Amino acid sequence: MSDKKATLTVDGIDEPIELPVYSGTLGPDVIDVGALTAKGLFTYDPGFVSTAACESQITFIDGGKGILLHRGYPIDQLANQSDYLETCYLLLYGELPNKEEKEKFVSTITKHTMVHEQLARFFQGFRRDAHPMAIMCGVVGALSAFYHDSLDISDESHRQIAAFRLIAKMPTLAAMSYKFSIGQPFMYPDNSMGYAENFLHMMFGNPCEPSNVSPVLSKAMDRIFTLHADHEQNASTSTVRLAGSSGANPFACIAAGIAALWGPSHGGANEAVLEMLEEIGDVYHIDEFVARAKDKNDPFRLMGFGHRVYKNFDPRAKVMKESADEVLAELGIVDDPLLAVAKRLEEIALEDEYFIERKLYPNVDFYSGIILKAMGIPTSMFTVIFAVGRTVGWIAHWHEMISGSYRIGRPRQLYTGYTQRDFKPMDQR
Ligand code: CMC
């Protein structure tokens, strides 16, 4: 924090208003507008384009330079040298674990992978064709009905165990939502396996055969989780914070985050990318779709392109692209028509004036859709996988907020509706 000030003059208010300006360790200064309410003023910022809603020490993004740091560590270093559970530890506790700390953390998470047996019956209430994200919104919220010993948000030990349970059980629930949709039996987690390996085992294994998870695919999945682990105050994380600010329990807050993530402008984009590539079909139709994306009278957008914060290459997309190349080579996929469309689309968008001017680069979802498809993950599970990876980010932000000082989140509005008028009885309407 600093003693810098901003001065605001407003027509109709005699005195200039002095507002404190704070500096973080990185990033733009922020103007504290809290004093404006007393002057009868609010700020107006739809979409929170210029608004910092909280102070945080977890993740930093410089969208102009394409930088993403978790607790100071660049995402490419974490994706290439660390693993998902180590990144979870870092996000939750602020430092990389030493060997013993890591072993203890991994063991704790691993011991929480199973879900209450009764929760499995919960799934029967859903239609077979339910979208797995719809199931996830329901069953993750339902965890609060099963784990009463982690609902007291004022108790640090409850918050800790809620975090462990959420990180550990998300892959189990995600795989169950898939197994339910295809009518196969749920697979219990196998705690001799690593986090991503176990997830693939529960997704693709069956009780009649020994498990056979490819180490290459496990590594790729672990990296996908790592790349999605956190992204500061995005729509779903802000939703978790807002829900949490009312004192709601952590499972309910994470369910709210899952709901916010589902939309195609956010996590749902990875699924939308694949649907778009399938709709384009082959490289000869690309021009038509690019023209539609540029046409202001057409709501179509190129899914997997553009980002609110990144006005440069999304650093996650860089690593994801490398990973996609590795996985495709490993799986021997060279002539895939969707891949050809994706590659050509990427080239066109990077050369086209419309995309260059607006700084619309391929984002993480563009490449994650391609890699997940190559790994044989059904499209409807793409956003669920994003949710699994992002759970640690949500819970780390929720924990940071609850363990510090916070107030219920309550935005104001610019009201443009009717002024007061008298109720009309039915016969006068
Ligand atoms: N295709 C075509 N035009 C686009 C696109 C796109 N994908 N994205 C933005 N634009 C245009 C938009 O029409 C506008 O043009 P103009 O200035 O002429 O009106 C300009 O670029 C700025 O767009 P915006 O809607 O004001 O930007 P935003 O910050 O509100 O939205 C976004 C960001 C990610 C929602 C948007 O770029 C988008 O809809 N992209 C496609 C969906 C997508 O891939 N989402 C995943 C984001 S990464 C995963 C995550 O972190 O959630």
Side-chain angles (χ1 to χ4, degrees):
M1 305 284 172
S2 77
D3 51 9
K4 284 192 212 165
K5 290 207 171 3
T7 308
L8 182 70
T9 32
V10 182
D11 288 349
I13 296 184
D14 296 342
E15 298 272 293
I17 306 168
E18 284 215 331
L19 300 167
V21 176
Y22 309 135
S23 303
T25 46
L26 290 168
D29 287 351
V30 299
I31 304 169
D32 180 347
V33 294
L36 292 182
T37 318
K39 306 276 179 193
L41 292 169
F42 299 145
T43 54
Y44 180 62
D45 183 21
F48 307 113
V49 178
S50 307
T51 296
C54 63
E55 186 187 328
S56 183
Q57 301 183 347
I58 302 174
T59 290
F60 172 76
I61 302 174
D62 184 329
K65 295 191 182 132
I67 291 172
L68 168 60
L69 309 175
H70 291 325
R71 303 283 191 184
Y73 295 102
I75 187 64
D76 57 317
Q77 292 184 21
L78 293 171
N80 292 323
Q81 297 173 54
S82 181
D83 58 46
Y84 179 66
L85 285 185
E86 188 168 74
T87 304
C88 288
Y89 185 101
L90 175 69
L91 287 167
L92 288 173
Y93 301 112
E95 295 297 337
L96 286 169
N98 64 27
K99 193 166 175 288
E100 276 153 36
E101 287 164 337
K102 184 169 177 187
E103 278 169 12
K104 185 162 175 247
F105 183 70
V106 171
S107 154
T108 306
I109 296 297
T110 307
K111 285 187 185 124
H112 280 287
T113 50
M114 242 179 9
V115 294
H116 194 291
E117 199 61 20
Q118 222 182 316
L119 195 66
R121 294 209 286 281
F122 204 90
F123 282 77
Q124 306 308 321
F126 288 98
R127 280 173 55 131
R128 276 275 170 225
D129 58 358
H131 194 287
M133 281 298 275
I135 299 182
M136 291 301 281
C137 289
V139 292
V140 173
L143 291 175
S144 49
F146 288 86
Y147 300 103
H148 293 151
D149 59 343
S150 41
L151 298 183
D152 180 0
I153 63 162
S154 63
D155 185 325
E156 168 70 24
S157 68
H158 280 226
R159 295 201 298 268
Q160 286 287 337
I161 193 157
F164 298 151
R165 284 188 170 135
L166 278 156
I167 295 167
K169 294 184 200 306
M170 279 293 278
T172 314
L173 293 173
M176 287 167 87
S177 70
Y178 171 60
K179 286 296 198 194
F180 176 75
S181 74
I182 56 167
Q184 284 191 9
F186 298 142
M187 293 292 288
Y188 282 113
D190 178 339
N191 287 349
S192 67
M193 295 183 179
Y195 189 86
E197 184 187 9
N198 208 352
F199 170 63
L200 291 173
H201 152 74
M202 291 186 282
M203 277 281 293
F204 295 118
N206 71 68
C208 316
E209 286 162 25
S211 201
N212 180 21
V213 181
S214 146
V216 176
L217 298 193
S218 299
K219 189 170 163 237
M221 185 53 76
D222 192 85
R223 196 181 267 177
I224 288 171
F225 290 147
T226 305
L227 289 172
H228 286 98
D230 189 40
H231 214 225
E232 49 116 309
Q233 313 307 327
N234 55 83
S236 55
T237 303
S238 298
T239 301
V240 170
R241 279 189 181 258
L242 196 56
S245 75
S246 75
N249 75 68
F251 303 106
C253 296
I254 301 304
I258 295 173
L261 184 76
W262 193 359
S265 297
H266 192 8
N270 52 15
E271 183 175 342
V273 166
L274 243 282
E275 282 162 2
M276 176 191 75
L277 294 177
E278 273 160 6
E279 201 188 337
I280 297 175
D282 63 57
V283 287
Y284 304 106
H285 293 129
I286 290 181
D287 289 348
E288 182 196 318
F289 281 83
V290 171
R292 281 185 60 195
K294 296 196 290 195
D295 179 357
K296 291 292 155 209
N297 298 316
D298 188 329
F300 175 77
R301 285 187 166 198
L302 277 193
M303 299 314 287
F305 285 83
H307 198 276
R308 167 62 62 78
V309 181
Y310 293 120
K311 302 302 168 198
N312 201 323
F313 224 92
D314 177 341
R316 302 168 300 169
K318 265 189 198 159
V319 184
M320 197 69 90
K321 183 172 158 48
E322 283 164 24
S323 209
D325 291 341
E326 267 170 44
V327 169
L328 294 166
E330 184 67 31
L331 296 172
I333 301 173
V334 274
D335 286 334
D336 187 76
L338 283 193
L339 195 62
V341 173
K343 281 197 169 147
R344 186 67 198 125
L345 200 57
E346 181 195 9
E347 281 165 18
I348 291 179
L350 291 175
E351 289 161 2
D352 190 298
E353 215 26 63
Y354 174 95
F355 292 88
I356 295 171
E357 240 174 49
R358 290 169 181 75
K359 301 188 166 68
L360 300 172
Y361 291 86
N363 59 48
V364 69
D365 287 323
F366 185 69
Y367 299 106
S368 67
I370 297 167
I371 191 171
L372 289 169
K373 161 92 170 44
M375 289 168 74
I377 306 280
T379 317
S380 63
M381 284 299 290
F382 288 9
T383 313
V384 176
I385 286 169
F386 191 150
V388 172
R390 182 56 55 85
T391 297
V392 66
W394 291 330
I395 202 82
H397 281 272
W398 171 82
H399 188 263
E400 181 181 66
M401 181 183 76
I402 303 289
S403 32
S405 66
Y406 66 99
R407 299 172 77 184
I408 185 167
R410 195 347 182 146
R412 306 308 289 255
Q413 63 174 4
L414 171 65
Y415 176 72
T416 53
Y418 286 109
T419 53
Q420 184 170 333
R421 51 188 181 152
D422 286 329
F423 182 80
K424 277 189 189 156
M426 188 62 84
D427 60 354
Q428 291 173 27
R429 288 178 210 165

